[in-house]
Amino acid sequence: MDPQRAQGGAVAPPGALPGGHFNAPRCAEDLYTPRFVRGVGRDKAGLCPICYESKARGGAGKAEWLSMKFSAFNYHMQYAHGISPTTAQPFSPPIAFRTVARTPNHKNEKAAILEGQCHRCREWAPIEGVKCIEAKLKEIYWWKHAAGCHKGSTIPGEGGAYLKDELAARVIAAYGPLRPAASPSSSSSSANAIGGSPTWSLTDGAAEPQPLFTRAPLV
């Protein structure tokens, strides 16, 4: 049996399954929600869906479990991968750039830094540090601004966040055309919160989709 195909046509992740239990994402293209979680209460942890991907697919090829009780998962997704918990997509990039002169307070500080303009607040935010050293993660400066400012806002028409290959096509096909189910009141919107029990409906009115990742025997 194909190790990446489970019962009912669902698609399992490449390689060995990481443990824990399946946690339904908001949609097939959700980059934020952990596909697997384990533990309860203070010990609840989520598997980073990006780190678990192979390096060839843009991941780290490792199982990175992070606490969901103390926001470690949320912090990791925003500041290690630049993924918005609101949209489950990458933060929107700056819409313009400029170089601004500054007065160094130390010989190891820059005399000018690069800034990016935010599409939402229209303010200019630093996208690099003042120290004359290379940052381990250059995007962290912009992601910090985006996390506090964007609040789910995105640039109209932006896209291209996904590697479109055979596995991606199978994943999307397994889910079908999904959209969030209509909520009778705003209070029910918390169902889509991380770790909750999101509900989905098919656009053609069919029954709810089967889980995307299921434990299939590797035979």
Side-chain angles (χ1 to χ4, degrees), residues 21-136:
H21 61 273
F22 177 71
N23 182 60
R26 288 172 256 186
C27 67
E29 298 179 339
D30 179 350
L31 296 178
Y32 181 87
T33 304
R35 300 307 195 266
F36 291 90
V37 297
R38 68 185 184 189
V40 295
R42 294 170 60 90
D43 297 325
K44 187 174 183 180
L47 179 73
C48 174
I50 296 180
C51 287
Y52 187 64
E53 290 282 357
S54 67
K55 292 183 178 179
R57 291 178 56 81
K62 63 179 181 179
E64 187 76 31
W65 292 93
L66 300 129
S67 171
M68 297 172 67
K69 177 67 175 179
F70 302 104
S71 301
F73 182 88
N74 177 278
Y75 187 92
H76 174 82
M77 296 306 296
Q78 291 190 90
Y79 303 123
H81 299 303
I83 304 299
S84 166
T86 305
T87 65
Q89 302 293 298
F91 289 121
S92 294
I95 58 174
F97 299 90
R98 71 180 184 184
T99 300
V100 179
R102 61 181 301 274
T103 302
N105 294 319
H106 191 272
K107 64 179 182 179
N108 291 328
E109 290 188 355
K110 302 173 183 176
I113 60 171
L114 189 63
E115 294 183 338
Q117 187 178 27
C118 176
H119 76 278
R120 184 172 186 269
C121 68
R122 299 293 172 174
E123 297 292 333
W124 293 88
I127 58 175
E128 64 178 350
V130 300
K131 300 291 186 180
C132 294
I133 56 175
E134 194 74 15
K136 292 183 179 180

